[in-house]
Structure formats: C-alpha cells, structure tokens
Amino acid sequence: MTDTRIDPPVAADERAMLRAWLDWHRETLAVKCRGLTEEQLRLRSVPPSSMSLLGLVRHMADVERSWFRRRLNGEDLDGIYYSDDDPDGEFDNVDTASAEEAFATWHAEIQHARAAEEACADLDAMTKADRQGVHYSLRWIMCHMIEEYARHNGHADLLRERIDGATGE
C-alpha cells in the first residue's frame, strides 16, 4: 500500500483541525483500497456479513451525500446505492459493480461535501430538521463523519489484511 496521507496538524483552529482529520480518514480508506483488483475489492469479510472494500467505498459515497448534501444543504436526493427496498444495496450489490464508477462517485460526493462545508459560515450552522425533527450542527456532522470513517477504516484494515496480508495504520 502506498501511503499518500498528510498528517493532520498538531495545532490548528477547530475547523481546520476537523477538516484535516476528515480528509485524513477519507484518504485512509483510499489507501486501504489502493493497488487491488476489482475482484479483490469485492471480496467479502466473513459470513453473514456482505462487507467488502468496494462496499465500504459505495457506503461512504452515500454517507457523504446524506450528511452534506441532503441534510446540510437540504437537497432532495435519493441514495446512490441503497433504497428503502434495498437498504444494504451498497454492500450487497457489489458482485458486478464497477470499482471505477464507485471511486468516481465517492470522490464526486467528497467534492460536494467539501463545497457544502465551506459554504457554511460557521460550525454552529444547523441543518434542516430530519424526519424525527432533529437539527444537526455542522460541527456535529464533521465529528460524526470522522467517527464514521474511523470505524469503517477499522473494517478496511481487516479486509485488506485478509486479501493480501497488508497491514498498517
């Protein structure tokens, strides 16, 4: 694995720190996938889980879209890889999925997310209410996204090690 990550600064203002850590975790997922074939990216963890590295990339594209475009920006968008009828589609439907398409979609959603975050005046900016009537601050979203990536990067560590024995931070 070629590690192209840039370490977050050890001192910065809150927004710069959150951005740096989120970007570091985004790049960590990319590093875990780098150098693998489509077939390797599709390899599942252990039954009954349908988790794969390709599924994680597709999942994170949907997560980026959900928090930054749908919730923060209020855009009326459907899920990319999942639906009410197929709630785990991002993981379940990778057998014929294109890795090139999934990575392009993920990167596009990251760019949309960055633009949505940058457009907010401050970290206290609030989303529109969700279905349960809850509003979220941009600060909460950024922290949640770091947590979401961190958790799934742990999964990616195990998946990558299973595929080719590669380990690393």
Side-chain angles (χ1 to χ4, degrees):
M1 292 184 297
T2 303
D3 191 345
T4 54
R5 296 173 297 175
I6 297 170
D7 287 336
V10 295
D13 66 60
E14 182 181 16
R15 193 160 189 167
M17 187 70 72
L18 290 170
R19 282 177 179 158
W21 275 107
L22 181 52
D23 282 341
W24 188 86
H25 278 289
R26 287 168 171 154
E27 186 60 20
T28 297
L29 181 56
V31 165
K32 295 298 174 181
C33 296
R34 195 161 290 134
L36 298 176
T37 66
E38 269 198 3
E39 292 74 27
Q40 289 173 314
L41 290 167
R42 289 184 185 121
L43 286 175
R44 309 304 177 118
S45 57
V46 293
S49 175
S50 62
M51 190 176 294
S52 65
L53 287 169
L54 184 56
L56 286 173
V57 169
R58 289 161 46 105
H59 174 69
M60 292 313 300
D62 266 318
V63 171
E64 295 272 3
R65 173 181 276 216
S66 178
W67 282 106
F68 289 101
R69 295 181 72 187
R70 293 172 67 192
R71 290 190 174 128
L72 187 62
N73 273 0
E75 295 178 47
D76 185 18
L77 299 169
D78 291 330
I80 304 166
Y81 301 110
Y82 75 92
S83 65
D84 289 341
D85 294 332
D86 192 10
D88 294 320
E90 69 267 48
F91 293 110
D92 293 345
N93 304 322
V94 299
D95 292 339
T96 59
S98 163
E100 183 178 343
E101 180 279 329
F103 280 92
T105 299
W106 178 47
H107 289 293
E109 289 302 326
I110 288 170
Q111 292 309 312
H112 286 297
R114 285 183 177 135
E117 180 266 319
E118 289 171 4
C120 286
D122 62 54
L123 291 171
D124 294 321
M126 299 297 285
T127 65
K128 295 181 180 182
D130 67 8
R131 292 179 192 168
Q132 291 75 36
V134 178
H135 298 269
Y136 297 88
S137 70
L138 175 57
R139 178 181 289 104
W140 189 96
I141 292 170
M142 301 275 296
C143 288
H144 173 70
M145 289 299 294
I146 292 166
E147 175 274 329
E148 181 89 8
Y149 272 102
R151 182 166 36 94
H152 289 313
N153 284 337
H155 298 135
D157 284 338
L158 295 172
L159 286 160
R160 182 64 189 247
E161 186 174 8
R162 178 178 182 268
I163 292 166
D164 67 359
T167 60
E169 185 178 316

